[in-house]
Amino acid sequence: SYELTQPPSVSVSPGQTASITCSGDKLGDKNACWYQQKPGQSPVLVIYQDRQRPSGIPERISGSNSGNTATLTISGTQAMDEADYFCQAWDSSTVVFGGGTKLTVL
Amino acid sequence: QLQLQESGPGLVKPSETLSLTCTVSGGSISSSTYYWGWIRQPPGKGLDWIGSIYYSGSTYYNPSLKSRVTISVDTSKNQFSLKLSSVTAADTAVYYCARHVSLREFDPWGQGTLVTVSS
């Protein structure tokens, strides 16, 4: 079965750039998306179709997808960006989620 | 603005069937392009897709749960439902419903409902 691999945790200083990766076989050939989940809240879509932002998502959140890796990039990271982030793709008629990455803003 | 709301028992006994309903408001469940999905999240863990359904009744299921899962849709009530049979403590989780856009991303999500499996 298809798998998506994320680092369990990423740390970043306020104002710096955070990058969270999601790896899977030929992931660049699929549509990847990303969700942000804060404690006690439902996941929120922040990137879809590799690099598209839903309305209301700030421009400092961006995405890319090539080869075997999709990347979520948060520029000028703020305390409010501290959350769990999950990548997701569709493969062989199934939804696959990455294991999630906890972003800590130090 | 589309909203989804899960409802159902918060406590289910082992070996019984978990039943949840998702009510969609602010839009029609019969819209083309959209599927409607169930996702769960065990406490402190990641997201686990259960399955998705189209308004016509066409379904996709997680292979690991397929033998125990039934998802159905009631277009007259703008609702879709989940049944998970033979539950164990491992099925304890927050259960979310969400709109599944073109079998790609999920947006938006319901608020989630905690279901605990315990005697």
Side-chain angles (χ1 to χ4, degrees):
Chain A
S1 62
Y2 195 76
E3 293 184 357
L4 294 175
T5 301
Q6 299 180 235
S9 63
V10 169
S11 297
V12 64
S13 299
Q16 299 303 303
T17 296
S19 294
I20 300 173
T21 58
C22 174
S23 299
D25 185 49
K26 297 180 181 178
L27 180 57
D29 293 341
K30 310 177 194 302
N31 287 299
C33 62
W34 292 88
Y35 304 93
Q36 177 193 70
Q37 186 180 33
K38 297 182 180 180
Q41 298 183 18
S42 303
V44 173
L45 181 70
V46 294
I47 292 289
Y48 67 99
Q49 289 185 252
D50 299 337
R51 61 180 62 248
Q52 304 302 315
R53 272 188 311 276
S55 61
I57 302 302
E59 292 185 7
R60 56 196 182 76
I61 294 179
S62 62
S64 63
N65 185 16
S66 179
N68 295 324
T69 304
T71 303
L72 178 72
T73 302
I74 305 174
S75 305
T77 305
Q78 302 177 9
M80 66 183 294
D81 298 321
E82 188 162 285
D84 292 326
Y85 291 85
F86 296 91
C87 61
Q88 181 241 304
W90 173 262
D91 177 81
S92 300
S93 301
T94 62
V95 170
V96 182
F97 285 102
T101 298
K102 181 176 182 58
L103 178 66
T104 301
V105 182
L106 298 171
Chain B
Q1 167 187 354
L2 190 79
Q3 293 185 317
L4 297 92
Q5 178 69 57
E6 305 88 352
S7 59
L11 181 64
V12 181
K13 289 182 168 55
S15 80
E16 295 191 344
T17 297
L18 178 160
S19 296
L20 295 174
T21 295
C22 182
T23 300
V24 179
S25 59
S28 173
I29 202 169
S30 300
S31 298
S32 61
T33 303
Y34 301 130
Y35 276 68
W36 304 89
W38 288 99
I39 306 100
R40 68 181 183 178
Q41 185 173 35
K45 295 188 178 181
L47 300 170
D48 185 26
W49 173 67
I50 301 170
S52 298
I53 190 166
Y54 196 56
Y55 75 91
S56 64
S58 173
T59 54
Y60 291 90
Y61 293 135
N62 184 330
S64 68
L65 297 170
K66 187 174 183 177
S67 64
R68 298 195 292 131
V69 173
T70 302
I71 298 176
S72 58
V73 62
D74 186 336
T75 55
S76 67
K77 295 182 179 178
N78 231 31
Q79 295 176 334
F80 61 107
S81 298
L82 167 69
K83 291 188 184 299
L84 180 66
S85 64
S86 304
V87 297
T88 69
D91 295 309
T92 293
V94 175
Y95 285 75
Y96 296 100
C97 60
R99 184 176 65 179
H100 195 177
V101 182
S102 300
L103 294 175
R104 296 191 311 257
E105 62 274 1
F106 292 96
D107 181 55
W109 296 55
Q111 68 180 28
T113 187
L114 175 63
V115 179
T116 301
V117 179
S118 175
S119 56

